[in-house]
Amino acid sequence: MSVLYYLGLIVAVFIGAACLYLLIVAVVPGFSIPVQPLEKSNQASVEIEAERYGPRKEVGFEVEGTNLSARLYLPQNPSGPAPCIIMGHGAGGTMDMGLEAYALRFQEVGFAVLMFDYRHFGSSGGQPRQLLWIPNQLEDWRAAIECARGLEEVDPARVALWGTSLSGGHVITLAAQDQRILCVSAQCPGLDGKAAGEEFMKREGLKYVLRLVMHGQRDLVRSWLGLSPHKIPLVGRPGTVAMMPAPDAWVAFGRLAPEGFVNEVCARIIIRGDKYRPVKQAQDVRCPVLLQICDQDHLTPVSAAEETAQRLGNLATVIHYPIGHFDIYLGDNFEKSVADQLAFFKKHL
């Protein structure tokens, strides 16, 4: 028999073995991960005084037949349609998870703000719940931009994007694709899934990563077969199986997350997250970008933010903070970061 026959046989055996492995991973019991309820902190993330609220209303829009919840903040006594900042949270976050503190500061100085929950999260619709899927989130952002531009209270020519962590990468991707966006603020941005995965490997080790990958494979294959999703905790105590098994993530989510927050995520994002690299699209951005870099960030590599700044060139305003990834949401670090954002938006929006 020919060499090609044996090569074909080897390939067929390999493919068959891989399919059998994935089927076993998808359906064999014993992969359940204990839920890790967050330990809520008594200390609020940022104090918000009730009298500081301006006009706001619940709004919404649809994406592929699914209703998304959104909230519109409007400046007091506007003279006409207002410039608008659109806000979406990072991985697994919802608009009730600390975003309002930023929105109120923007509202106070005359900006409208539209914030929203992604499909599958928070008060938005979508099944399965807790599905973090980047193409879906980018579609949600595009729909939010279209929604904002269609609101009578908003000046459609003056729309900006605000993102943080994973959504800090989203806003770069969207600005590269939609050159009507006037400016972008990206806080501790997730700009290179590949680099983040490599850092995660160094920090947690190969054994831990392979364990996570199996959970991701289980969820992905179950989705192909029409079975129920396989979920893991979004944040977890060090050493436990979670998408973010880090003490700073665990503490920050306990302070920021609202009551009833679901600390779970469909595990398939583990398989696809490293393919998302907004840094590669930065050269197509044509508007001013604020990059707020946390120098002690162990979640989103600083090197990716610095490479993004290089690709943006003169369009980038880069500010470094000597803090970790989650510190920027809290206390004095929040005050510094939001002050820098306000100065940027006043200049460019």
Side-chain angles (χ1 to χ4, degrees):
M1 295 184 181
S2 68
V3 173
L4 289 177
Y5 170 82
Y6 287 108
L7 286 175
L9 185 61
I10 292 171
V11 170
V13 170
F14 176 79
I15 292 174
C19 291
L20 180 60
Y21 160 77
L22 290 174
L23 184 61
I24 291 171
V25 167
V27 300
V28 168
F31 277 78
S32 297
I33 298 297
V35 175
Q36 294 196 54
L38 294 174
E39 297 175 355
K40 290 297 297 175
S41 170
N42 293 326
Q43 184 177 7
S45 56
V46 176
E47 294 294 334
I48 300 176
E49 301 171 9
E51 60 268 22
R52 294 178 67 169
Y53 287 120
R56 59 178 180 164
K57 62 181 181 179
E58 301 298 319
V59 296
F61 51 92
E62 272 196 11
V63 182
E64 296 184 351
T66 298
N67 292 319
L68 272 71
S69 293
R71 190 174 300 146
L72 178 65
Y73 297 76
L74 296 168
Q76 295 276 12
N77 305 314
S79 57
C84 183
I85 301 167
I86 303 175
M87 303 180 66
H89 221 311
T94 65
M95 58 183 173
D96 288 326
M97 192 174 167
L99 291 193
E100 186 166 67
Y102 295 91
L104 293 177
R105 302 299 175 87
F106 301 151
Q107 180 189 47
E108 282 180 336
V109 298
F111 297 119
V113 178
L114 180 71
M115 65 171 66
F116 67 97
D117 278 341
Y118 299 107
R119 276 176 288 174
H120 314 285
F121 287 93
S123 53
S124 289
Q127 293 292 334
R129 302 305 296 169
Q130 308 307 117
L131 173 60
L132 199 174
W133 201 241
I134 290 167
N136 288 6
Q137 294 199 344
L138 292 174
E139 287 179 4
D140 296 348
W141 268 98
R142 294 185 192 102
I145 293 168
E146 182 179 355
C147 173
R149 286 174 174 157
L151 295 170
E152 62 181 4
E153 301 95 338
V154 169
D155 182 348
R158 300 172 69 192
V159 170
L161 308 182
W162 182 100
T164 185
S165 194
L166 180 61
S167 68
H170 291 346
V171 294
I172 297 297
T173 298
L174 291 154
Q177 298 170 352
D178 183 348
Q179 299 191 355
R180 293 173 60 196
I181 298 300
L182 212 57
C183 59
V184 165
S185 173
Q187 174 179 278
C188 53
L191 294 161
D192 191 339
K194 182 175 181 291
E198 291 170 352
E199 290 295 319
F200 188 87
M201 173 83 78
K202 292 177 185 177
R203 186 169 64 251
E204 303 296 335
L206 178 60
K207 182 179 178 181
Y208 185 89
V209 170
L210 290 176
R211 189 179 179 190
L212 269 187
V213 166
M214 289 185 70
H215 286 283
Q217 291 170 334
R218 180 179 178 85
D219 184 45
L220 188 60
V221 176
R222 288 179 69 84
S223 73
W224 295 343
L225 299 175
L227 301 175
S228 61
H230 175 66
K231 299 175 183 179
I232 61 174
L234 180 64
V235 295
R237 298 177 182 85
T240 62
V241 173
M243 182 177 167
M244 291 181 279
D248 56 343
W250 179 256
V251 172
F253 270 67
R255 291 184 64 178
L256 291 167
E259 292 295 333
F261 181 82
V262 180
N263 182 29
E264 284 187 327
V265 65
C266 293
R268 70 194 74 169
I269 187 59
I270 300 298
I271 303 298
R272 300 298 300 171
D274 64 328
K275 312 299 188 298
Y276 187 49
R277 308 186 71 189
V279 60
K280 300 301 181 183
Q281 300 189 51
Q283 67 268 17
D284 296 325
V285 175
R286 296 292 180 267
C287 67
V289 175
L290 173 63
L291 290 173
Q292 294 179 294
I293 302 174
C294 299
D295 291 329
Q296 299 169 24
D297 195 328
H298 299 299
L299 186 63
T300 59
V302 172
S303 60
E306 292 174 339
E307 181 181 348
T308 300
Q310 291 176 355
R311 289 172 179 260
L312 289 167
N314 293 334
L315 293 173
T317 298
V318 181
I319 303 178
H320 288 263
Y321 305 85
I323 57 177
H325 183 86
F326 293 98
D327 297 328
I328 201 165
Y329 300 100
L330 307 169
D332 290 341
N333 295 316
F334 163 82
E335 297 296 341
K336 293 174 184 176
S337 67
V338 78
D340 291 334
Q341 292 164 17
L342 283 168
F344 175 80
F345 284 131
K346 287 177 181 178
K347 180 178 179 179
H348 296 289
L349 187 61

